[in-house]
Amino acid sequence: MSLRATYVRAPDRRAQDLIDACARALARHGAGGVSVRTICADAGVSPGLLRHYFEGIDDLVAATYAHVGAAVADALDAAVAAAGPDPRARLAAYVNASFRPPIATQDLLSTWLAFWSLVKSDPAIAALHRDIYAGYRVALEALLLDAGMAAADVGQAAIAITALVDGLWLELSLDAGVFGAEEAAAIAARWLSVWLPE
Amino acid sequence: MSLRATYVRAPDRRAQDLIDACARALARHGAGGVSVRTICADAGVSPGLLRHYFEGIDDLVAATYAHVGAAVADALDAAVAAAGPDPRARLAAYVNASFRPPIATQDLLSTWLAFWSLVKSDPAIAALHRDIYAGYRVALEALLLDAGMAAADVGQAAIAITALVDGLWLELSLDAGVFGAEEAAAIAARWLSVWLPE
DNA sequence: CCCCTTGTTGCACAACTGTATAATCTTGTC
DNA sequence: GACAAGATTATACAGTTGTGCAACAAGGGG
């Protein structure tokens, strides 16, 4: 006479279920508000299952960062590809995509903020951050070069552009009512034109 | 026969001791790594004392944000005052001070990042953030106006400048090796000159 | 139907959390 | 010295945390 709940196996998608639930928890509660129990409840599984698919909750958070980071990179790449062959259009598309869905959504930006908050205290997140940001920087530098910028300038330009994008993400995430993604995109476009005049 | 530790009373500075210890903990461990025990150990007092001076740990974190926020505002004001009467010099000093001690230190920027990470999940921090950032924006807008910017433009300029400063703070905090405060200050000065040409 | 593999549940456990509070120590006043 | 106020210590407590794991249920194959 068992009172244990029935279930349907879905091993193919459990890890992703947990990653998605983790991203939602990070967005809603910040890094400090995630726990094995809240994530697993959201994913519709028992708390012990997390350990079957991940080493522990820290491993899950890292996997979530890797996943969201890849999704952002994919969205940026898709925007560049859709812009066609013109180097300047591709560059503008890269920057502009940061302020469009699927990137500029409250959920993703809030999740991103949670990852930032973990960089100083979690070595695995710090390593991921380094790799992910290096990837974005390499891509941005290549686009800047293709658009005609002198090689000596692309380093600082990439830093400056990345800083403004991150800052705008931060403000969009924290102060959703003060201004919107359209305005952010216009500000970023203006900054881009400073570094690469017509 | 008591084994209880001896102590010296210092009620005048206990609250501040706790605030300083809280700031250090936030900088070192992020928001998720602070606890009553770690803060009080750092402050050299017993864990129960926190509740004597603050409603609870959340109240202490909020008091720490108020304190650090006021320290930043004071540093910005001091830089403006030291710049003399010229409106453009005062504006430049305001922006530049963001990249000088006592603001652009690893500890303060890391503490700041921790506060950002709490805005979405802690209503008291959110309210403080709103007030603190409104204060900075009002001050910046006034300086922009004094420097000759059209009233219709100061809103967006303040947002744009704040976003870049925050973004640079974030990068300085997370990637201390990639570039430094001098470079950040130069980038910010360039952005300022975009919004207020000579 | 039976058997086996494995995905999953539910919970035990040690450790940690914030809060509350009794007891005690310090120190200023008389 | 005696006493009182209050600063402080140390710890109890209920609740939560991540991890580990026994037990069981699902489902595929024979």
Side-chain angles (χ1 to χ4, degrees), chain A residues 83-151:
Chain A
D86 176 45
R88 280 178 178 259
R90 292 164 69 84
L91 176 62
Y94 188 84
V95 172
N96 191 267
S98 291
F99 305 104
R100 306 297 172 198
I103 298 175
T105 66
Q106 271 296 318
D107 270 7
L108 189 142
L109 296 184
S110 299
T111 305
W112 209 249
L113 174 55
F115 294 133
W116 282 331
S117 75
L118 291 169
V119 171
K120 310 271 326 223
S121 53
D122 181 324
I125 297 286
L128 278 166
H129 170 78
R130 191 169 46 249
D131 292 346
I132 287 167
Y133 267 72
Y136 297 154
R137 190 169 53 246
V138 166
L140 179 55
E141 287 178 352
L143 289 168
L144 288 165
L145 277 173
D146 286 352
M149 182 176 276

Side-chain angles (χ1 to χ4, degrees), chain A residues 62-76 108 112 115 132 136:
Chain A
T64 306
Y65 193 17
H67 174 79
V68 177
V72 171
D74 288 348
L76 295 175
L108 189 142
W112 209 249
F115 294 133
I132 287 167
Y136 297 154

Side-chain angles (χ1 to χ4, degrees), chain A residues 19-42:
Chain A
I19 285 170
D20 292 340
C22 183
R24 288 193 291 273
L26 288 166
R28 196 162 303 128
H29 307 297
V34 295
S35 70
V36 170
R37 287 169 175 84
T38 56
I39 291 168
C40 291
D42 186 340

Side-chain angles (χ1 to χ4, degrees), chain B residues 18-119:
Chain B
L18 289 166
I19 285 170
D20 293 340
C22 182
R24 289 192 291 273
L26 288 166
R28 196 162 302 130
H29 308 296
V34 295
S35 71
V36 171
R37 288 170 176 80
T38 56
I39 291 168
C40 291
D42 186 340
V45 301
S46 157
L49 199 63
L50 190 147
R51 281 280 288 163
H52 182 78
Y53 287 96
F54 297 95
E55 287 282 328
I57 186 165
D58 290 342
D59 186 37
L60 172 57
V61 173
T64 306
Y65 192 16
H67 174 77
V68 176
V72 171
D74 288 348
L76 295 175
D77 289 348
V80 170
D86 176 46
R88 280 178 177 260
R90 293 165 70 83
L91 175 63
Y94 187 84
V95 172
N96 191 268
S98 291
F99 303 104
R100 307 296 172 199
I103 298 175
T105 66
Q106 270 297 319
D107 270 6
L108 189 140
L109 296 185
S110 299
T111 304
W112 208 251
L113 173 56
F115 294 134
W116 282 330
S117 76
L118 291 169
V119 171

Side-chain angles (χ1 to χ4, degrees), chain A residues 2 4 6-7 9 35-37 48 51 56-57:
Chain A
S2 171
R4 183 160 144 158
T6 60
Y7 59 88
R9 298 176 182 210
S35 70
V36 170
R37 287 169 175 84
R51 283 277 290 160
I57 188 165

